[in-house]
Short mmCIF file of all heavy atoms in Angstrom, two decimals:
data_model
loop_
_atom_site.label_atom_id
_atom_site.label_comp_id
_atom_site.label_asym_id
_atom_site.label_seq_id
_atom_site.Cartn_x
_atom_site.Cartn_y
_atom_site.Cartn_z
N MET F 1 -37.54 23.94 5.99
CA MET F 1 -38.01 23.63 4.64
C MET F 1 -39.50 23.32 4.66
O MET F 1 -40.03 22.85 5.65
CB MET F 1 -37.27 22.41 4.09
CG MET F 1 -35.85 22.71 3.66
SD MET F 1 -35.30 21.46 2.48
CE MET F 1 -33.61 21.98 2.29
N ASP F 2 -40.14 23.54 3.51
CA ASP F 2 -41.56 23.22 3.43
C ASP F 2 -41.75 21.77 2.98
O ASP F 2 -40.79 21.02 2.88
CB ASP F 2 -42.27 24.21 2.49
CG ASP F 2 -41.75 24.10 1.06
OD1 ASP F 2 -41.00 23.16 0.77
OD2 ASP F 2 -42.08 24.99 0.26
N SER F 3 -43.01 21.40 2.71
CA SER F 3 -43.28 20.01 2.34
C SER F 3 -43.33 19.83 0.83
O SER F 3 -44.09 19.04 0.32
CB SER F 3 -44.59 19.57 2.97
OG SER F 3 -45.63 20.40 2.52
N SER F 4 -42.50 20.53 0.10
CA SER F 4 -42.46 20.41 -1.35
C SER F 4 -41.64 19.20 -1.76
O SER F 4 -41.14 18.45 -0.94
CB SER F 4 -41.89 21.68 -1.97
OG SER F 4 -40.61 21.92 -1.46
N LYS F 5 -41.50 19.04 -3.05
CA LYS F 5 -40.77 17.89 -3.59
C LYS F 5 -39.29 18.22 -3.73
O LYS F 5 -38.91 19.36 -3.98
CB LYS F 5 -41.33 17.50 -4.95
CG LYS F 5 -42.77 17.03 -4.90
CD LYS F 5 -43.26 16.71 -6.30
CE LYS F 5 -44.72 16.28 -6.26
NZ LYS F 5 -45.26 16.08 -7.62
N LEU F 6 -38.47 17.17 -3.58
CA LEU F 6 -37.02 17.33 -3.75
C LEU F 6 -36.51 16.16 -4.57
O LEU F 6 -36.85 15.00 -4.30
CB LEU F 6 -36.31 17.35 -2.39
CG LEU F 6 -34.79 17.34 -2.43
CD1 LEU F 6 -34.25 18.69 -2.93
CD2 LEU F 6 -34.21 17.03 -1.05
N THR F 7 -35.70 16.46 -5.57
CA THR F 7 -35.02 15.40 -6.32
C THR F 7 -33.54 15.48 -6.00
O THR F 7 -32.91 16.53 -6.16
CB THR F 7 -35.25 15.57 -7.84
OG1 THR F 7 -36.65 15.48 -8.11
CG2 THR F 7 -34.52 14.49 -8.61
N VAL F 8 -32.99 14.38 -5.52
CA VAL F 8 -31.57 14.30 -5.18
C VAL F 8 -30.89 13.48 -6.27
O VAL F 8 -31.28 12.35 -6.54
CB VAL F 8 -31.35 13.62 -3.81
CG1 VAL F 8 -29.86 13.49 -3.51
CG2 VAL F 8 -32.05 14.41 -2.71
N VAL F 9 -29.90 14.06 -6.91
CA VAL F 9 -29.15 13.34 -7.94
C VAL F 9 -27.88 12.80 -7.28
O VAL F 9 -27.01 13.56 -6.88
CB VAL F 9 -28.81 14.25 -9.13
CG1 VAL F 9 -28.01 13.48 -10.19
CG2 VAL F 9 -30.08 14.82 -9.74
N GLY F 10 -27.83 11.49 -7.18
CA GLY F 10 -26.67 10.84 -6.55
C GLY F 10 -27.07 10.22 -5.23
O GLY F 10 -27.51 10.91 -4.31
N ALA F 11 -26.96 8.88 -5.16
CA ALA F 11 -27.32 8.16 -3.93
C ALA F 11 -26.09 7.72 -3.16
O ALA F 11 -26.07 6.68 -2.52
CB ALA F 11 -28.19 6.95 -4.28
N GLY F 12 -25.05 8.53 -3.25
CA GLY F 12 -23.86 8.28 -2.44
C GLY F 12 -24.15 8.67 -0.99
O GLY F 12 -25.30 8.95 -0.62
N LEU F 13 -23.11 8.67 -0.18
CA LEU F 13 -23.29 8.99 1.25
C LEU F 13 -24.00 10.33 1.44
O LEU F 13 -24.97 10.44 2.18
CB LEU F 13 -21.94 9.00 1.94
CG LEU F 13 -21.94 9.37 3.42
CD1 LEU F 13 -22.75 8.37 4.23
CD2 LEU F 13 -20.53 9.48 3.95
N PHE F 14 -23.51 11.34 0.73
CA PHE F 14 -24.05 12.68 0.92
C PHE F 14 -25.50 12.76 0.43
O PHE F 14 -26.37 13.28 1.13
CB PHE F 14 -23.18 13.72 0.21
CG PHE F 14 -23.56 15.12 0.54
CD1 PHE F 14 -23.31 15.65 1.80
CD2 PHE F 14 -24.20 15.92 -0.40
CE1 PHE F 14 -23.68 16.96 2.12
CE2 PHE F 14 -24.57 17.22 -0.09
CZ PHE F 14 -24.31 17.74 1.16
N GLY F 15 -25.75 12.23 -0.77
CA GLY F 15 -27.10 12.26 -1.33
C GLY F 15 -28.08 11.50 -0.46
O GLY F 15 -29.21 11.94 -0.24
N ALA F 16 -27.64 10.33 0.04
CA ALA F 16 -28.52 9.51 0.88
C ALA F 16 -28.87 10.23 2.17
O ALA F 16 -30.01 10.19 2.63
CB ALA F 16 -27.85 8.16 1.17
N VAL F 17 -27.88 10.91 2.75
CA VAL F 17 -28.13 11.63 4.01
C VAL F 17 -29.06 12.82 3.76
O VAL F 17 -30.00 13.04 4.53
CB VAL F 17 -26.80 12.10 4.65
CG1 VAL F 17 -27.05 13.06 5.80
CG2 VAL F 17 -26.01 10.89 5.15
N VAL F 18 -28.81 13.55 2.69
CA VAL F 18 -29.68 14.68 2.36
C VAL F 18 -31.12 14.19 2.12
O VAL F 18 -32.08 14.78 2.64
CB VAL F 18 -29.17 15.43 1.11
CG1 VAL F 18 -30.21 16.40 0.59
CG2 VAL F 18 -27.88 16.18 1.45
N ALA F 19 -31.25 13.08 1.36
CA ALA F 19 -32.58 12.54 1.07
C ALA F 19 -33.28 12.12 2.36
O ALA F 19 -34.47 12.39 2.55
CB ALA F 19 -32.45 11.34 0.12
N HIS F 20 -32.54 11.45 3.23
CA HIS F 20 -33.11 11.00 4.50
C HIS F 20 -33.57 12.17 5.35
O HIS F 20 -34.69 12.19 5.87
CB HIS F 20 -32.08 10.16 5.27
CG HIS F 20 -32.58 9.70 6.59
ND1 HIS F 20 -32.37 10.42 7.76
CD2 HIS F 20 -33.30 8.62 6.94
CE1 HIS F 20 -32.94 9.78 8.76
NE2 HIS F 20 -33.51 8.69 8.30
N GLU F 21 -32.70 13.17 5.47
CA GLU F 21 -33.03 14.33 6.30
C GLU F 21 -34.23 15.10 5.73
O GLU F 21 -35.09 15.56 6.50
CB GLU F 21 -31.81 15.25 6.43
CG GLU F 21 -30.69 14.65 7.26
CD GLU F 21 -31.12 14.38 8.70
OE1 GLU F 21 -31.57 15.32 9.37
OE2 GLU F 21 -31.03 13.21 9.13
N ALA F 22 -34.27 15.21 4.39
CA ALA F 22 -35.39 15.93 3.76
C ALA F 22 -36.69 15.17 3.98
O ALA F 22 -37.73 15.78 4.27
CB ALA F 22 -35.12 16.11 2.27
N ALA F 23 -36.63 13.83 3.85
CA ALA F 23 -37.83 13.02 4.07
C ALA F 23 -38.29 13.12 5.51
O ALA F 23 -39.50 13.18 5.79
CB ALA F 23 -37.54 11.55 3.70
N GLU F 24 -37.32 13.16 6.43
CA GLU F 24 -37.66 13.32 7.85
C GLU F 24 -38.40 14.63 8.10
O GLU F 24 -39.20 14.73 9.03
CB GLU F 24 -36.39 13.29 8.71
CG GLU F 24 -35.77 11.90 8.85
CD GLU F 24 -36.54 11.05 9.84
OE1 GLU F 24 -36.66 11.47 10.99
OE2 GLU F 24 -37.02 9.97 9.43
N ARG F 25 -38.10 15.62 7.27
CA ARG F 25 -38.74 16.93 7.41
C ARG F 25 -40.04 17.03 6.62
O ARG F 25 -40.61 18.10 6.48
CB ARG F 25 -37.78 18.03 6.98
CG ARG F 25 -36.67 18.28 7.99
CD ARG F 25 -35.51 19.01 7.35
NE ARG F 25 -34.51 19.42 8.33
CZ ARG F 25 -33.65 18.60 8.92
NH1 ARG F 25 -33.68 17.31 8.65
NH2 ARG F 25 -32.77 19.05 9.80
N GLY F 26 -40.46 15.91 6.05
CA GLY F 26 -41.76 15.88 5.40
C GLY F 26 -41.76 16.13 3.91
O GLY F 26 -42.81 16.20 3.28
N MET F 27 -40.57 16.26 3.33
CA MET F 27 -40.52 16.49 1.89
C MET F 27 -40.72 15.19 1.13
O MET F 27 -40.38 14.11 1.63
CB MET F 27 -39.17 17.12 1.49
CG MET F 27 -38.93 18.47 2.13
SD MET F 27 -37.40 19.22 1.57
CE MET F 27 -37.90 19.80 -0.03
N LYS F 28 -41.28 15.28 -0.07
CA LYS F 28 -41.43 14.12 -0.93
C LYS F 28 -40.15 14.03 -1.76
O LYS F 28 -39.88 14.90 -2.59
CB LYS F 28 -42.66 14.27 -1.83
CG LYS F 28 -42.95 13.06 -2.68
CD LYS F 28 -44.33 13.18 -3.31
CE LYS F 28 -44.60 12.06 -4.29
NZ LYS F 28 -44.37 10.73 -3.76
N VAL F 29 -39.37 12.99 -1.49
CA VAL F 29 -38.02 12.92 -2.05
C VAL F 29 -37.91 11.83 -3.11
O VAL F 29 -38.39 10.71 -2.93
CB VAL F 29 -36.98 12.63 -0.94
CG1 VAL F 29 -35.57 12.61 -1.52
CG2 VAL F 29 -37.08 13.66 0.17
N THR F 30 -37.28 12.18 -4.21
CA THR F 30 -36.93 11.20 -5.25
C THR F 30 -35.41 11.20 -5.38
O THR F 30 -34.79 12.27 -5.47
CB THR F 30 -37.56 11.58 -6.61
OG1 THR F 30 -38.98 11.65 -6.44
CG2 THR F 30 -37.20 10.58 -7.67
N VAL F 31 -34.82 10.01 -5.35
CA VAL F 31 -33.37 9.90 -5.48
C VAL F 31 -33.06 9.22 -6.82
O VAL F 31 -33.63 8.16 -7.13
CB VAL F 31 -32.76 9.07 -4.33
CG1 VAL F 31 -31.24 8.98 -4.49
CG2 VAL F 31 -33.11 9.69 -2.98
N ILE F 32 -32.19 9.84 -7.58
CA ILE F 32 -31.78 9.30 -8.88
C ILE F 32 -30.29 9.01 -8.84
O ILE F 32 -29.51 9.83 -8.33
CB ILE F 32 -32.07 10.33 -10.00
CG1 ILE F 32 -33.57 10.60 -10.10
CG2 ILE F 32 -31.52 9.84 -11.34
CD1 ILE F 32 -33.90 11.76 -11.01
N ASP F 33 -29.92 7.85 -9.33
CA ASP F 33 -28.49 7.55 -9.41
C ASP F 33 -28.21 6.83 -10.72
O ASP F 33 -29.02 6.04 -11.19
CB ASP F 33 -28.04 6.67 -8.24
CG ASP F 33 -26.54 6.73 -8.04
OD1 ASP F 33 -25.79 6.17 -8.87
OD2 ASP F 33 -26.10 7.37 -7.05
N ARG F 34 -27.07 7.10 -11.29
CA ARG F 34 -26.73 6.45 -12.57
C ARG F 34 -26.36 4.99 -12.38
O ARG F 34 -26.37 4.22 -13.34
CB ARG F 34 -25.58 7.21 -13.25
CG ARG F 34 -24.26 7.15 -12.51
CD ARG F 34 -23.21 7.97 -13.23
NE ARG F 34 -22.00 8.05 -12.40
CZ ARG F 34 -20.96 8.79 -12.70
NH1 ARG F 34 -20.98 9.51 -13.80
NH2 ARG F 34 -19.91 8.82 -11.93
N ARG F 35 -26.04 4.62 -11.16
CA ARG F 35 -25.70 3.23 -10.89
C ARG F 35 -26.93 2.49 -10.36
O ARG F 35 -27.93 3.09 -10.02
CB ARG F 35 -24.56 3.15 -9.87
CG ARG F 35 -23.27 3.72 -10.42
CD ARG F 35 -22.19 3.63 -9.38
NE ARG F 35 -20.93 4.15 -9.87
CZ ARG F 35 -20.01 4.71 -9.09
NH1 ARG F 35 -20.21 4.82 -7.80
NH2 ARG F 35 -18.89 5.15 -9.60
N ARG F 36 -26.79 1.17 -10.25
CA ARG F 36 -27.92 0.35 -9.82
C ARG F 36 -27.89 0.07 -8.33
O ARG F 36 -28.65 -0.76 -7.84
CB ARG F 36 -27.93 -0.97 -10.60
CG ARG F 36 -28.08 -0.73 -12.11
CD ARG F 36 -28.06 -2.01 -12.89
NE ARG F 36 -29.27 -2.78 -12.63
CZ ARG F 36 -29.58 -3.89 -13.27
NH1 ARG F 36 -28.79 -4.36 -14.19
NH2 ARG F 36 -30.67 -4.53 -12.99
N HIS F 37 -27.00 0.72 -7.60
CA HIS F 37 -26.93 0.50 -6.17
C HIS F 37 -26.77 1.84 -5.45
O HIS F 37 -26.32 2.81 -6.05
CB HIS F 37 -25.77 -0.43 -5.79
CG HIS F 37 -24.43 0.17 -6.08
ND1 HIS F 37 -23.79 0.01 -7.29
CD2 HIS F 37 -23.62 0.94 -5.30
CE1 HIS F 37 -22.63 0.65 -7.25
NE2 HIS F 37 -22.51 1.23 -6.06
N VAL F 38 -27.11 1.86 -4.18
CA VAL F 38 -26.91 3.06 -3.38
C VAL F 38 -25.57 2.98 -2.67
O VAL F 38 -24.97 1.91 -2.58
CB VAL F 38 -28.05 3.24 -2.34
CG1 VAL F 38 -29.38 3.41 -3.02
CG2 VAL F 38 -28.07 2.10 -1.34
N GLY F 39 -25.10 4.11 -2.19
CA GLY F 39 -23.85 4.12 -1.43
C GLY F 39 -22.71 4.78 -2.15
O GLY F 39 -21.71 5.15 -1.53
N GLY F 40 -22.83 4.93 -3.47
CA GLY F 40 -21.75 5.57 -4.22
C GLY F 40 -20.43 4.86 -4.00
O GLY F 40 -20.34 3.65 -4.13
N ARG F 41 -19.43 5.64 -3.63
CA ARG F 41 -18.09 5.06 -3.43
C ARG F 41 -18.03 4.18 -2.19
O ARG F 41 -17.05 3.47 -1.98
CB ARG F 41 -17.06 6.18 -3.35
CG ARG F 41 -16.64 6.69 -4.73
CD ARG F 41 -15.67 7.83 -4.63
NE ARG F 41 -16.36 9.07 -4.29
CZ ARG F 41 -15.75 10.20 -3.99
NH1 ARG F 41 -14.44 10.25 -3.97
NH2 ARG F 41 -16.44 11.28 -3.71
N LEU F 42 -19.08 4.24 -1.36
CA LEU F 42 -19.12 3.36 -0.19
C LEU F 42 -19.77 2.03 -0.54
O LEU F 42 -19.81 1.15 0.30
CB LEU F 42 -19.89 4.02 0.95
CG LEU F 42 -19.28 5.27 1.54
CD1 LEU F 42 -20.17 5.81 2.66
CD2 LEU F 42 -17.89 4.99 2.09
N GLY F 43 -20.30 1.89 -1.76
CA GLY F 43 -20.95 0.65 -2.14
C GLY F 43 -19.97 -0.51 -2.20
O GLY F 43 -18.76 -0.32 -2.25
N SER F 44 -20.53 -1.70 -2.18
CA SER F 44 -19.69 -2.89 -2.31
C SER F 44 -20.26 -3.74 -3.44
O SER F 44 -21.41 -3.61 -3.83
CB SER F 44 -19.64 -3.69 -1.01
OG SER F 44 -20.92 -4.12 -0.64
N TYR F 45 -19.46 -4.62 -3.93
CA TYR F 45 -19.83 -5.45 -5.06
C TYR F 45 -19.61 -6.91 -4.71
O TYR F 45 -18.67 -7.24 -3.99
CB TYR F 45 -18.98 -5.11 -6.29
CG TYR F 45 -19.08 -3.68 -6.71
CD1 TYR F 45 -18.22 -2.73 -6.15
CD2 TYR F 45 -20.02 -3.27 -7.63
CE1 TYR F 45 -18.31 -1.40 -6.52
CE2 TYR F 45 -20.12 -1.95 -8.01
CZ TYR F 45 -19.26 -1.01 -7.45
OH TYR F 45 -19.35 0.30 -7.81
N ARG F 46 -20.49 -7.74 -5.24
CA ARG F 46 -20.31 -9.18 -5.05
C ARG F 46 -19.90 -9.76 -6.41
O ARG F 46 -20.64 -9.66 -7.37
CB ARG F 46 -21.61 -9.82 -4.57
CG ARG F 46 -21.46 -11.27 -4.17
CD ARG F 46 -22.80 -11.79 -3.71
NE ARG F 46 -23.27 -11.10 -2.52
CZ ARG F 46 -23.14 -11.58 -1.28
NH1 ARG F 46 -22.58 -12.75 -1.09
NH2 ARG F 46 -23.59 -10.91 -0.26
N TYR F 47 -18.73 -10.32 -6.44
CA TYR F 47 -18.22 -10.87 -7.70
C TYR F 47 -18.54 -12.35 -7.75
O TYR F 47 -17.81 -13.17 -7.21
CB TYR F 47 -16.71 -10.64 -7.80
CG TYR F 47 -16.36 -9.19 -7.98
CD1 TYR F 47 -15.93 -8.43 -6.90
CD2 TYR F 47 -16.49 -8.57 -9.22
CE1 TYR F 47 -15.62 -7.08 -7.06
CE2 TYR F 47 -16.19 -7.23 -9.38
CZ TYR F 47 -15.75 -6.49 -8.30
OH TYR F 47 -15.46 -5.17 -8.46
N TYR F 48 -19.66 -12.67 -8.41
CA TYR F 48 -20.06 -14.08 -8.50
C TYR F 48 -19.01 -14.90 -9.23
O TYR F 48 -18.76 -16.04 -8.90
CB TYR F 48 -21.42 -14.21 -9.17
CG TYR F 48 -22.53 -13.63 -8.31
CD1 TYR F 48 -23.04 -12.38 -8.56
CD2 TYR F 48 -23.00 -14.34 -7.22
CE1 TYR F 48 -24.03 -11.84 -7.75
CE2 TYR F 48 -24.00 -13.81 -6.40
CZ TYR F 48 -24.50 -12.56 -6.69
OH TYR F 48 -25.47 -12.04 -5.88
N ASP F 49 -18.41 -14.28 -10.23
CA ASP F 49 -17.39 -15.02 -10.97
C ASP F 49 -16.23 -15.41 -10.06
O ASP F 49 -15.70 -16.51 -10.14
CB ASP F 49 -16.86 -14.19 -12.13
CG ASP F 49 -17.89 -14.04 -13.23
OD1 ASP F 49 -18.86 -14.81 -13.22
OD2 ASP F 49 -17.71 -13.16 -14.07
N MET F 50 -15.83 -14.50 -9.17
CA MET F 50 -14.74 -14.79 -8.25
C MET F 50 -15.13 -15.92 -7.30
O MET F 50 -14.33 -16.82 -7.02
CB MET F 50 -14.39 -13.52 -7.46
CG MET F 50 -13.25 -13.69 -6.49
SD MET F 50 -11.71 -14.03 -7.33
CE MET F 50 -11.28 -12.39 -7.90
N GLN F 51 -16.39 -15.88 -6.83
CA GLN F 51 -16.83 -16.96 -5.94
C GLN F 51 -16.84 -18.28 -6.67
O GLN F 51 -16.48 -19.31 -6.11
CB GLN F 51 -18.22 -16.62 -5.40
CG GLN F 51 -18.20 -15.37 -4.52
CD GLN F 51 -19.29 -15.36 -3.49
OE1 GLN F 51 -20.26 -16.10 -3.62
NE2 GLN F 51 -19.15 -14.56 -2.47
N ASP F 52 -17.30 -18.23 -7.91
CA ASP F 52 -17.27 -19.45 -8.72
C ASP F 52 -15.85 -19.96 -8.84
O ASP F 52 -15.60 -21.17 -8.75
CB ASP F 52 -17.85 -19.18 -10.12
CG ASP F 52 -19.35 -18.97 -10.08
OD1 ASP F 52 -19.97 -19.31 -9.04
OD2 ASP F 52 -19.89 -18.46 -11.06
N ALA F 53 -14.92 -19.04 -9.03
CA ALA F 53 -13.52 -19.43 -9.17
C ALA F 53 -13.00 -20.05 -7.87
O ALA F 53 -12.29 -21.06 -7.89
CB ALA F 53 -12.68 -18.20 -9.54
N ILE F 54 -13.41 -19.48 -6.74
CA ILE F 54 -12.96 -20.02 -5.45
C ILE F 54 -13.57 -21.41 -5.22
O ILE F 54 -12.88 -22.33 -4.79
CB ILE F 54 -13.33 -19.05 -4.30
CG1 ILE F 54 -12.50 -17.77 -4.43
CG2 ILE F 54 -13.12 -19.71 -2.95
CD1 ILE F 54 -12.94 -16.65 -3.53
N SER F 55 -14.86 -21.55 -5.53
CA SER F 55 -15.51 -22.86 -5.39
C SER F 55 -14.82 -23.89 -6.26
O SER F 55 -14.57 -25.03 -5.82
CB SER F 55 -16.98 -22.76 -5.80
OG SER F 55 -17.66 -21.89 -4.95
N ALA F 56 -14.50 -23.51 -7.47
CA ALA F 56 -13.83 -24.43 -8.38
C ALA F 56 -12.46 -24.82 -7.82
O ALA F 56 -12.04 -25.98 -7.90
CB ALA F 56 -13.68 -23.78 -9.75
N ALA F 57 -11.78 -23.85 -7.23
CA ALA F 57 -10.45 -24.14 -6.66
C ALA F 57 -10.56 -25.14 -5.50
O ALA F 57 -9.74 -26.06 -5.37
CB ALA F 57 -9.81 -22.83 -6.19
N PHE F 58 -11.60 -24.96 -4.65
CA PHE F 58 -11.79 -25.89 -3.53
C PHE F 58 -12.10 -27.29 -4.04
O PHE F 58 -11.59 -28.28 -3.52
CB PHE F 58 -12.90 -25.40 -2.60
CG PHE F 58 -12.40 -24.46 -1.53
CD1 PHE F 58 -12.63 -23.11 -1.61
CD2 PHE F 58 -11.68 -24.95 -0.45
CE1 PHE F 58 -12.17 -22.24 -0.63
CE2 PHE F 58 -11.21 -24.09 0.54
CZ PHE F 58 -11.45 -22.73 0.44
N LYS F 59 -12.98 -27.37 -5.05
CA LYS F 59 -13.33 -28.68 -5.62
C LYS F 59 -12.09 -29.34 -6.20
O LYS F 59 -11.84 -30.53 -6.00
CB LYS F 59 -14.40 -28.52 -6.71
CG LYS F 59 -15.78 -28.33 -6.16
CD LYS F 59 -16.79 -28.20 -7.30
CE LYS F 59 -18.13 -27.77 -6.77
NZ LYS F 59 -19.05 -27.31 -7.81
N CYS F 60 -11.31 -28.55 -6.89
CA CYS F 60 -10.11 -29.07 -7.53
C CYS F 60 -9.13 -29.56 -6.47
O CYS F 60 -8.57 -30.65 -6.58
CB CYS F 60 -9.48 -27.98 -8.38
SG CYS F 60 -8.08 -28.54 -9.34
N ALA F 61 -8.96 -28.76 -5.41
CA ALA F 61 -8.04 -29.15 -4.34
C ALA F 61 -8.54 -30.42 -3.66
O ALA F 61 -7.75 -31.31 -3.31
CB ALA F 61 -7.93 -28.01 -3.32
N GLY F 62 -9.88 -30.50 -3.46
CA GLY F 62 -10.46 -31.69 -2.84
C GLY F 62 -10.18 -32.94 -3.65
O GLY F 62 -9.80 -33.98 -3.11
N ARG F 63 -10.31 -32.82 -4.97
CA ARG F 63 -10.06 -33.97 -5.85
C ARG F 63 -8.60 -34.38 -5.78
O ARG F 63 -8.27 -35.56 -5.79
CB ARG F 63 -10.42 -33.62 -7.29
CG ARG F 63 -11.89 -33.82 -7.59
CD ARG F 63 -12.17 -33.75 -9.08
NE ARG F 63 -13.33 -32.89 -9.30
CZ ARG F 63 -13.28 -31.72 -9.91
NH1 ARG F 63 -12.18 -31.26 -10.39
NH2 ARG F 63 -14.38 -31.02 -10.04
N MET F 64 -7.72 -33.40 -5.67
CA MET F 64 -6.28 -33.71 -5.62
C MET F 64 -5.93 -34.45 -4.33
O MET F 64 -5.00 -35.27 -4.30
CB MET F 64 -5.46 -32.40 -5.71
CG MET F 64 -5.48 -31.77 -7.08
SD MET F 64 -4.69 -30.17 -7.10
CE MET F 64 -3.00 -30.61 -6.79
N LEU F 65 -6.67 -34.17 -3.25
CA LEU F 65 -6.34 -34.76 -1.96
C LEU F 65 -7.08 -36.08 -1.71
O LEU F 65 -6.74 -36.81 -0.78
CB LEU F 65 -6.69 -33.77 -0.82
CG LEU F 65 -5.84 -32.49 -0.82
CD1 LEU F 65 -6.37 -31.51 0.18
CD2 LEU F 65 -4.37 -32.80 -0.53
N ASP F 66 -8.10 -36.39 -2.54
CA ASP F 66 -8.84 -37.65 -2.36
C ASP F 66 -7.95 -38.84 -2.65
O ASP F 66 -7.07 -38.81 -3.47
CB ASP F 66 -10.08 -37.67 -3.28
CG ASP F 66 -11.19 -36.81 -2.69
OD1 ASP F 66 -11.14 -36.51 -1.49
OD2 ASP F 66 -12.10 -36.42 -3.46
C1 FAD R 101 -11.49 2.88 -0.48
C2 FAD R 101 -12.08 4.17 0.08
C3 FAD R 101 -11.88 4.49 1.40
C4 FAD R 101 -12.39 5.66 1.93
N1 FAD R 101 -12.17 5.96 3.24
C5 FAD R 101 -12.66 7.08 3.77
C6 FAD R 101 -12.47 7.38 5.14
O1 FAD R 101 -11.83 6.63 5.88
N2 FAD R 101 -12.99 8.52 5.63
C7 FAD R 101 -13.70 9.38 4.84
O2 FAD R 101 -14.14 10.40 5.34
N3 FAD R 101 -13.89 9.11 3.55
C8 FAD R 101 -13.41 7.99 3.00
N4 FAD R 101 -13.59 7.73 1.67
C9 FAD R 101 -14.28 8.70 0.87
C10 FAD R 101 -15.75 8.51 0.99
O3 FAD R 101 -16.10 7.24 0.44
C11 FAD R 101 -16.35 9.59 0.17
O4 FAD R 101 -15.95 10.84 0.67
C12 FAD R 101 -17.86 9.56 0.21
O5 FAD R 101 -18.34 8.27 -0.06
C13 FAD R 101 -18.34 10.53 -0.83
O6 FAD R 101 -19.76 10.50 -0.81
P1 FAD R 101 -20.55 11.37 -1.84
O7 FAD R 101 -21.99 11.08 -1.62
O8 FAD R 101 -20.13 12.78 -1.78
O9 FAD R 101 -20.05 10.89 -3.28
P2 FAD R 101 -20.14 9.45 -3.95
O10 FAD R 101 -20.02 8.37 -2.97
O11 FAD R 101 -19.17 9.49 -5.08
O12 FAD R 101 -21.60 9.40 -4.54
C14 FAD R 101 -21.98 10.11 -5.69
C15 FAD R 101 -23.15 9.37 -6.31
O13 FAD R 101 -23.65 10.18 -7.37
C16 FAD R 101 -23.88 9.35 -8.48
N5 FAD R 101 -23.79 10.20 -9.65
C17 FAD R 101 -22.73 10.92 -10.06
N6 FAD R 101 -23.00 11.59 -11.16
C18 FAD R 101 -24.30 11.30 -11.46
C19 FAD R 101 -25.17 11.70 -12.50
N7 FAD R 101 -24.77 12.55 -13.46
N8 FAD R 101 -26.43 11.22 -12.50
C20 FAD R 101 -26.83 10.34 -11.55
N9 FAD R 101 -26.06 9.93 -10.52
C21 FAD R 101 -24.80 10.41 -10.49
C22 FAD R 101 -22.83 8.28 -8.41
O14 FAD R 101 -23.20 7.10 -9.10
C23 FAD R 101 -22.74 8.04 -6.90
O15 FAD R 101 -23.63 7.03 -6.45
C24 FAD R 101 -13.11 6.56 1.11
C25 FAD R 101 -13.32 6.23 -0.24
C26 FAD R 101 -12.83 5.05 -0.75
C27 FAD R 101 -13.07 4.70 -2.21
#
């Protein structure tokens, strides 16, 4: 490939690998994804609400045992 520009639509596993390989070959790469994270179906999520719920459960259990 030459050193032209490449736009990759989708930052999932395949898009990320293609983007990486193209950049390694000197291409100017832009990656676009509809989501706010990379990894596509391999991405993970942090559920703050769930953590809040777990913290609340521990506090509640602590109060019950005091
Ligand atoms: C629970 C689970 C377990 C798995 N286990 C395995 C396993 O053991 N082995 C295995 O080989 N595979 C496994 N897979 C499958 C593996 O995750 C997928 O094959 C791989 O992630 C697909 O990568 P991809 O880049 O092709 O697609 P995706 O990961 O789907 O990425 C596509 C990206 O494109 C974006 N996109 C889509 N449309 C647009 C648009 N119009 N504009 C902008 N962005 C767009 C999406 O937001 C996404 O980020 C598993 C999947 C899951 C969910």
Side-chain angles (χ1 to χ4, degrees):
M1 285 202 185
D2 63 11
S3 59
S4 58
K5 296 178 182 175
L6 173 71
T7 299
V8 177
V9 180
L13 177 62
F14 189 71
V17 169
V18 168
H20 178 268
E21 290 298 304
E24 287 283 302
R25 286 161 172 75
M27 298 183 77
K28 184 168 174 52
V29 182
T30 302
V31 181
I32 297 170
D33 199 288
R34 66 182 172 187
R35 294 179 179 150
R36 299 179 69 174
H37 66 270
V38 298
R41 279 177 282 172
L42 295 179
S44 61
Y45 302 88
R46 188 180 297 261
Y47 291 100
Y48 292 100
D49 289 344
M50 181 65 78
Q51 295 207 341
D52 289 345
I54 292 169
S55 297
F58 273 105
K59 282 181 190 166
C60 185
R63 275 192 227 113
M64 288 173 67
L65 294 172
D66 282 342

